[in-house]
Amino acid sequence: MPEILDLARNQVLERGVGLDEEGVLAVLRLPDEHISGALQLAHEVRMRWCGPEVEVEGIVSLKTGGCPEDCHFCSQSGLFTSPVRSVWLDIPSLVEAAKQTAATGATEFCIVAAVRGPDERLMKQMREGVAAIKAAVDIQVAASLGMLSQSQVDELVEMGVHRYNHNLETCRSYFANVVTTHTWEERWDTLRMVRDSGMEVCCGGILGLGESIEQRAEFAAQLAALDPHEVPLNFLNPRPGTPLGDRPVVDGKDALRAIAAFRLAMPRTILRYAGGREITLGDLGTRDGLLGGINAVIVGNYLTTLGRPAEEDLALLDDLKMPVKALSATL
Ligand code: SF4
């Protein structure tokens, strides 16, 4: 057994203290023959500190495409030639999407908009949309609307938005290679205000943007320092027309190492499989991840790419004897 896994067993599994940057790096560098041992340990950590429940979430795009920012992985940027055009969803469609999400057994419904930050029009849509959802559907509402001002944070709390997603995307030292229209620190400021407001913080990122293994470890450590309630872990699904459209996908074994390493860095967080798992790991990878530290999934489609049908994921959870987290347990 490699030394790092012994250390993780004592420190993370027994005491619930996550690995530091150096420890994460050691997991990311484990030889192939120790990947299954790392995943097994990450699974034990998840069962011990989070339990067997899996949180299921649906996402809907309130405003798609036409974003003024230049995140190099994103097909919703209006600055690239990617084929996603600006579209707004109306309130009845938003409510219908929330109903469909609730029907899958999901407890979370996240409203997403491709913007630098919300303008008055978007905040008005949110006010009306969240109220309409709350009147019609029993589900928790989360939001992801870019960078916020303090008054917008306060307003979202007032509306009853319980969790806010804002991804740091990658580590601080690599961020400027991926985004030039705003800074890592600006994202961090929003996260700090969200945390102070009492909303749950959801913050993760994308692996495979060209960052080094060391920078992957740096990212895990920076996320752990933020201590988010939830971490969505994406793997780059290169989108045609974006500056990262030609990047290779993350090697499946590296993706599994990363899943184990991020869980060992953050024993208590909700670690969610988000986009890119299908092309990086294939169908089998979903099972491997859920037995390797992942305890939340997004059902149905992602924002600009198709995911697996919800029924397949729910059948898999049933097969693995992992109950879907119930709404009553989260309210
Ligand atoms: S990641 Fe968000 S902020 Fe960046 S271009 Fe895409 S929609 Fe805009």
Side-chain angles (χ1 to χ4, degrees), residues 101-160:
T101 299
T104 68
T107 51
E108 294 286 324
F109 181 66
C110 186
I111 303 171
V112 180
V115 289
R116 175 184 170 88
D119 58 9
E120 195 32 55
R121 176 184 178 189
L122 180 55
M123 290 304 280
K124 182 167 174 286
Q125 289 277 88
M126 284 297 292
R127 273 193 294 278
E128 292 171 13
V130 174
I133 292 168
K134 286 187 175 285
V137 193
D138 213 7
I139 197 160
Q140 302 203 92
V141 179
S144 180
L145 313 172
M147 292 178 283
L148 301 174
S149 65
Q150 184 62 56
S151 62
Q152 289 169 334
V153 169
D154 297 343
E155 222 183 310
L156 290 172
V157 172
E158 247 175 64
M159 288 176 208

Side-chain angles (χ1 to χ4, degrees), residues 65-78 80 113-117 146-147 166 169 179 181-182 187 206:
C67 180
E69 303 304 291
D70 76 343
C71 310
H72 291 10
F73 49 83
C74 182
S75 58
Q76 302 207 60
S77 169
F80 313 142
V115 289
R116 175 184 170 88
M147 292 178 283
H166 195 48
E169 307 299 9
V179 183
T181 46
H182 59 268
R187 289 194 177 223
I206 309 180

